[in-house]
Amino acid sequence: MIHFRDKNLIPIWEKLQSGIELTFEDGITLYGSNDILSIGKMAHWLQREKVGDAVFFVVNQKIEPTNICVLSCKFCDFAVKKTSPEAYEMTIEEILSKLNDELMEVHITGGLHPDWEWDYYVGMVKEIKKHFPKIDVKAFTAVEIDFFSKKFKKSIEDILLELKEAGLRTLPGGGAEIFSERVRRSLFNQKIGAKRWLEIHKIAHSLGIKSNATMLYGHVETFEERVNHLLKLRDLQKETNGFLSFIPLAFQPGDTGIKMRNQFTSAIDDLRTIAISRLILNNFDHIKAYWIMLTEELAAVALNFGANDLDGTVGGERIAHDAGAITPMQLAKNKLINIINDANKIPVERDIYYRPLKLYSEKIVGKVSYINTLPFFQNLNFNNYKIFTAPPRQLGFLFKEGFIDAGIISLVDYLEKESDYRLLKYGIVGNKNVKSVILYSKVPLEQLNKKCIAVSDETSTSFRLMQAILELKQGFDLNYIREKISYRKTNLSHFDAFLTIGDDALKFMNNKPEQFKYHYDLAQLWYEWKSLPFVFAVWTVKNTLSESQCEEINQLLENSLKKFFDGKIEIEKFHLSNLKLSSGEIADYLNNLTYRIGVDEIKSINIFREIYDQLKMSNKNIMNLIERF
Amino acid sequence: MDTKDILRKAFDGERINEQECLQLLSYNDLLELGEVANEVRFRHNPYEVVTFVVDSNPNYTNVCNVDCTFCAFYRKKDDPDAYTYSIDELIKKFKESANRGITTILLQGGVNPDLPFEYYLELVEKTRKEVPEIHPHFFTTSEIIGMSEVSGLSIREVLIKLKEVGLNTIPGGGAEILSDRVRKKISKKKGPSSSWLDVMREAHLLGYKTTATMMFGHIETNEDIIIHLSSIRKLQDETKGFTAFIPWSFKPENTPLEKHIKTYSSPYRYLQIIAVSRIFLDNFPHIQASWFSEGKKIGQVALHFGADDFGGTLEEENVHAAANFINRSTKDEVIELIHGAGFDAAQRDTLYNILKVYHKKPVAQST
């Protein structure tokens, strides 16, 4: 609930709760409001809907191979000409000497050098991958890509493909500045404009290269120009879904002459820009509070205003530093962890694609990010615990690494750690069917032998269940490929079948994929085979908790379920529009599941444990599972 | 009671008790706290105006016999960098300050036993006489207790004499944490919390107006903070003599206490303290954002979490500067910071009378 001081914001809040995207006018209303707390609360709400309490960071290093640049942009006091005494150029050896095995990501951007050859850039990426295979390379803004294309007379596609071949993973989001011809002409008239920037990112996305997006604010741009910038990004994201994160960059006046040296953006402008970005960019998963420019203190506050990423340890941050950012160059990982914990969030060390690697917080409850956990969580108040939300497979990975103290965990992941965890009396159970674990196939099930099946990259248990049915029961030999599966995605057509689970599966309910005429509910197949319900996930706690603490949690879960199913089930509109289902359809779906683990459920778990052990023994089939992002 | 119900209660204007306040101090939804604090703030000060004072914060001496472990400023008498200004030197400084448009001098110093009571009386008297543009906001409770010891007069008599020569406000420093458990550890010689409260009570009863401060982020617990807030709320119920509450976080560098502190108090904690104190101290007219100790950006944010005053321009601030925390500002910059936070800026005097309003630019299409 929000007590709006500014009543003009109420219609915007209603839209957000219904999952309706904001308009240009809404953006202007937000920027015109001084009710920063209400704006923050809305953004924090959406942030938590998207990622729960997680705040990401990456152990990274920034490399700027040269400050020599053929452009002269007014807002930049990093770039110099070749003849300047401050000019520098790094060799590949020098670049490699700045890297180490601790790093997960390197961020490379620099000036547009007049003389360097194409081979140098490709070689840079190749050599990094050769010496540090673990480091993911994020390199070259759209401005540099455009420069390469013109200088080396190659198409954007060829430039990107050669870099990808060399090992480039993603493009950084820089060079977007502000999408306004007016501002471009006045501040950076030699640099590419909005159209070209967006075009290059679109091509990158089509080639499987993800990217970030930025916006430079706090110089001469207007609020309209900021809102337009965000809308252009949202439009491209709708088309490609290729942006990983958005980073608003506060202008650092330094010696640029655009503003006085100490005229930094106001803290309120920084916070609302982060919050408004979160609200308008509803199709972006991550909004970054770039602490190097915001100051550590304000970045910490921003984690309650819509930001869920602190960038990283960064290392040598020359561009922002030269223009007067007051933050120390290198903030140790521990400092980032402290900032995030202070803000009551969960520090999540990530890789370049935002896959969680490690959590740094005590008392974490794991929650599968699907609507079917809502009956447990809608009324659950876990004092002093933080909730980490993720799809089953990611959650299972962290669970197996010991980062999760309690939570609802995919069955097979629990089975891997049975000796360290206690089973509670609750779970997610499909009785005679489940409706959200579906195998879509072009051919009848009986004809699937030797075929290739796309498997949702979110599943742990459902995949094993499918293997059990198809391999052990039917005796098939199959190939599997991990895929991101979305009802909007059209590139599933080269598979014979695909397995979708959770919310993605629900989205298919009213949008059946045409080519895949046959669909099979895996809980139903299990029931037909074993005459038992299937337990997909279980509530479990570390066995360091006492019997009475477990009983306490059981009681909390019981109360929570009772409260949820007592009377008419109310589902927030936000979920409805997200899942493309009606309130009745979701209520039917949730009512159809079982949430309590009884005798039959235990029997089913015991049978499946044996099957699972058998599947693990015959690792031939597991080897077929090609891990691909 | 559920924390949400406590917040509801405060939002509706009801007083919350110590137990409820304790619950708010461990509540982790910062924006919920901010929202209620902001409501209380606008109940006290219904305008989108934030006040500030053009002041200077010199120190007349750094010689001190109190030995607080959190202080990086004080020296022993024989230390090479020990100093004590003469009255003429100070008056000269004040005149220069007045010429720069300064209206308030917040003067504090060490507790220097070599200074006679007459020094203090003469200083106030000469300031009033020779620099009438300046409002003297002099001497914390520790110094007043020191004067009482040096002169053999009672606290009340010291305050009466100071009042006769023209002092009518005193700063709220030296409160630290008004919990004897903590004071014994960090400022033993400053005496129990009752000594601070007693001086303040006497002062209020004699018609002085004062502020109250709180230094947190060292070894205190939430319970200690509650004791502090509760003590000053009770006194305020009695006297109505406090104008504002000013919490600030401990800056550990160069202090003996440093080694006992693991991390800086976070901005998150600062905003939480601002919000909770605005909610709990329902009888305080103002809560002050301490931008000089928390940084300008967090100072701005605090204005949306319950604070309605931005403190002083602080032309000279030796105590914090000694802890490598230099943060100065000019009047223009303070006005710009307040405008940037979305408020009109109003210059005030020490008694919170508004002298001049600087309106922010209307919310335009452009930044």
Side-chain angles (χ1 to χ4, degrees), chain A residues 3 34 36 41 224 266-267 270, chain B residues 35 297 300 304 340 342 365:
Chain A
H3 299 286
N34 194 28
I36 181 72
K41 281 188 91 173
E224 283 89 343
S266 90
D270 295 334
Chain B
E35 185 176 59
K297 289 214 174 200
Q300 287 182 308
H304 291 269
Q365 302 299 328

Side-chain angles (χ1 to χ4, degrees), chain B residues 73-116:
Chain B
F73 170 70
Y74 82 92
R75 295 291 179 273
K76 291 287 150 202
K77 194 167 82 178
D78 300 326
D79 285 345
D81 51 350
Y83 70 83
T84 301
Y85 289 125
S86 71
I87 289 174
D88 287 345
E89 283 173 315
L90 287 167
I91 295 295
K92 188 167 165 254
K93 264 176 174 289
F94 297 171
K95 280 184 180 158
E96 286 163 14
S97 297
N99 289 338
R100 294 205 305 273
I102 285 166
T103 67
T104 291
I105 301 278
L106 196 175
L107 185 74
Q108 306 171 98
V111 179
N112 182 346
D114 292 342
L115 289 175

Side-chain angles (χ1 to χ4, degrees), chain A residues 375-421:
Chain A
F376 291 117
F377 284 90
Q378 182 152 288
N379 303 302
L380 193 61
N381 191 1
F382 261 132
N383 276 333
N384 301 322
Y385 276 84
K386 296 176 187 173
I387 297 187
F388 182 78
T389 307
R393 184 162 167 247
Q394 284 187 359
L395 196 61
F397 166 75
L398 295 166
F399 172 81
K400 284 184 282 186
E401 296 284 315
F403 294 116
I404 309 279
D405 299 287
I408 180 123
I409 299 294
S410 196
L411 179 66
V412 299
D413 297 317
Y414 163 73
L415 292 176
E416 292 285 339
K417 298 282 280 183
E418 249 181 318
S419 53
D420 298 341
Y421 283 81

Side-chain angles (χ1 to χ4, degrees), chain B residues 325-342:
Chain B
F325 201 87
I326 299 159
N327 211 341
R328 285 156 194 256
S329 187
T330 63
K331 180 174 164 183
D332 284 345
E333 199 184 352
V334 162
I335 294 171
E336 194 182 303
L337 288 170
I338 295 171
H339 287 173

